[in-house]
Amino acid sequence: MQDEAIRWGPATLADVARRADVSKSTVSRALSNDPTLNIRDETRLRIKAAAHELGYMPNSNARSLRLARSWCVAFVVPELQNPVFGQTIDGAHRAAADRGYSMLIAPVEASPAHDELARNIVLGSRVDGILLNTLEYPKFLADTSALQARMVLVNRQTGADGEHCVLLDNEAGARLAVQELAKLGHRRIAYMPTSSVSWVSQRRREGYHLGMKAVGLEGEERIMPECEADLAAAEVCAAEILASPNRPTAIVAWNILLAVGVTRAARRLGIAVPEDLSVISLNDSSAAQMMTPQVSAVRLPLFQLGWQAACLLIDLIEGKPVAPEPVVLTPECVILRETTGPAPS
């Protein structure tokens, strides 16, 4: 122990190996969780204990140079303000950190040059792989593929050969919302879509139609005019529909912002929520409980979406076998809060 007492500077791999009484290569492989390393659990624990006692920190630069990897992945999202993306990013970040990777967040709208975004991320940032969340930029997808970057689509599917994706069952979420409202006695159930033409938008609209059919209301569907995913726009759009004589008694809204726009329009028109009008959002977040009234919502596994996507991407990076089929996550439940109630008589 005398050599450790007079050592200056941070602990090295050799210091840990000496303390654990194993070779440096064994220490390196044990601390990087090398699945091919065949050692006893007692030895593995002794190595980790030695590293902890000495305060050993792996040299990430040396590891990157040795393996020609950056140990960093990028998560590309359309925006950062949307709380839905925040939950998904959180799940991805946790999974990446557990596997020893850092994560770069790249909001598309923050880049002045979309044409060079893929090249800047893949080559400029030297990431090992990319997560793409609900992006609708065909050129970005094409550029990323051309650069032969490992890629996982998050809540998005193109149908291209060899693509890997983790999806929410958006159709099931919309069906669940319609069925819950039907249980409360509602028959005039409308759907409030966003103006986005995304893959998610198409799935949710289809889910609404399937839900109406499942509860025997086929032919009574009512699609409200499309509007921007913006609170003010949703309020204007909802006011027009709610002022009509044959207004709906329930609305399934694309997201929480649209749902809140509906409740504000109803309040302005003197329509009581939920006594005269019920509203359900097709995603849930902590913001739903902060609204007045609190918004009922379909809870989707957003954290798990990010977690599964990051795990899949890292498996691809590390050359592990992965299933070719998309990973599909089902809705968790419907949370009934203050914006839903029995249909008015």
Side-chain angles (χ1 to χ4, degrees), residues 79-90 133 255-257 283-288 291 302-303:
E79 56 178 321
L80 290 178
Q81 293 79 12
N82 193 323
V84 171
F85 296 132
Q87 294 178 65
T88 308
I89 289 170
D90 188 23
N133 197 341
N255 67 5
I256 290 173
L257 282 179
N283 55 36
D284 189 31
S285 76
S286 58
M291 302 298 177
L302 297 170
F303 181 94

Side-chain angles (χ1 to χ4, degrees), residues 190-194 208 222-227 233-239 251-255 258-259 261-262 282:
Y191 175 61
M192 187 177 198
T194 178
Y208 164 75
R222 184 171 184 180
I223 304 293
M224 297 171 63
E226 297 175 349
C227 69
E235 186 173 352
V236 171
C237 178
I251 294 175
V252 178
W254 155 260
N255 67 5
L258 268 59
V262 172
L282 285 183

Side-chain angles (χ1 to χ4, degrees), residues 2 12 22 32 77 79 91 105 116 131 166 182-183 228-230 236 276 284-285 287 293 297 307 311 336-337 341:
Q2 184 177 5
T12 66
V22 295
S32 63
V77 295
E79 56 178 321
I105 311 299
E116 293 298 319
L131 299 167
V166 180
K183 287 180 186 177
E228 295 292 327
D230 172 82
V236 171
D276 299 321
D284 189 31
S285 76
W307 176 280
C311 287
L336 296 181
R337 298 191 179 99

Side-chain angles (χ1 to χ4, degrees), residues 22 51 60 74 150 181 214 312:
V22 295
S60 58
R150 298 174 185 88
L181 291 168
L312 176 58

Side-chain angles (χ1 to χ4, degrees), residues 45-339:
L45 291 174
R46 189 169 74 249
I47 292 170
K48 292 186 176 181
H52 178 73
E53 291 166 5
L54 295 172
Y56 172 72
M57 297 293 292
N59 187 331
S60 58
N61 290 332
R63 181 173 67 160
S64 297
L65 290 172
R66 184 172 67 254
L67 300 178
R69 280 161 55 186
S70 65
W71 298 86
C72 177
V73 296
F75 201 139
V76 183
V77 295
E79 56 178 321
L80 290 178
Q81 293 79 12
N82 193 323
V84 171
F85 296 132
Q87 294 178 65
T88 308
I89 289 170
D90 188 23
H93 176 263
R94 298 277 188 90
D98 285 351
R99 300 279 290 269
Y101 287 74
S102 59
M103 194 170 77
L104 167 71
I105 311 299
V108 173
E109 292 182 348
S111 173
H114 289 196
D115 288 347
E116 293 298 319
L117 182 59
R119 181 173 294 275
N120 291 342
I121 292 174
V122 176
L123 301 181
S125 301
R126 290 193 62 248
V127 297
D128 294 328
I130 297 180
L131 299 167
L132 302 179
N133 197 341
T134 65
L135 285 176
E136 297 296 329
Y137 301 109
K139 187 178 187 305
F140 183 88
L141 287 170
D143 289 349
T144 306
S145 298
L147 292 168
Q148 297 183 332
R150 298 174 185 88
M151 177 171 57
V152 170
L153 303 184
V154 184
N155 208 20
R156 171 84 162 87
Q157 188 175 27
T158 68
D161 291 339
E163 78 177 7
H164 298 278
C165 47
V166 180
L167 312 170
L168 296 174
D169 192 339
N170 291 278
E171 287 185 5
R175 290 201 311 269
L176 201 57
V178 171
Q179 290 165 5
E180 199 64 44
L181 291 168
K183 287 180 186 177
L184 293 170
H186 293 276
R187 294 186 59 82
R188 297 201 305 273
I189 304 171
Y191 175 61
M192 187 177 198
T194 178
S195 56
S196 167
V197 292
S198 67
W199 180 87
V200 173
S201 298
Q202 296 169 12
R203 301 284 80 72
R204 291 184 178 180
R205 187 186 291 250
E206 182 63 22
Y208 164 75
H209 288 296
L210 292 173
M212 293 291 280
K213 181 178 181 179
V215 298
L217 296 176
E218 187 177 11
E220 298 189 34
E221 298 97 332
R222 184 171 184 180
I223 304 293
M224 297 171 63
E226 297 175 349
C227 69
E228 295 292 327
D230 172 82
L231 187 57
E235 186 173 352
V236 171
C237 178
E240 182 179 345
I241 299 299
L242 296 179
S244 63
N246 192 33
R247 62 175 175 79
T249 64
I251 294 175
V252 178
W254 155 260
N255 67 5
I256 290 173
L257 282 179
L258 268 59
V260 173
V262 172
T263 63
R264 289 190 178 184
R267 186 186 304 120
R268 186 154 51 88
L269 293 170
I271 299 171
V273 176
E275 291 81 5
D276 299 321
L277 177 70
S278 289
V279 184
I280 290 183
S281 164
L282 285 183
N283 55 36
D284 189 31
S285 76
S286 58
Q289 301 179 63
M290 300 176 188
M291 302 298 177
T292 304
Q294 294 183 2
V295 180
S296 298
V298 177
R299 178 164 292 172
L300 302 170
L302 297 170
F303 181 94
Q304 190 67 17
L305 175 69
W307 176 280
Q308 293 271 25
C311 287
L312 176 58
L313 178 61
I314 293 171
D315 283 347
L316 289 171
I317 291 169
E318 296 180 351
K320 296 180 179 178
V322 298
E325 299 81 13
V327 178
V328 182
L329 306 177
T330 58
E332 295 177 358
C333 58
V334 178
I335 307 296
L336 296 181
R337 298 191 179 99
E338 298 172 348
T339 60

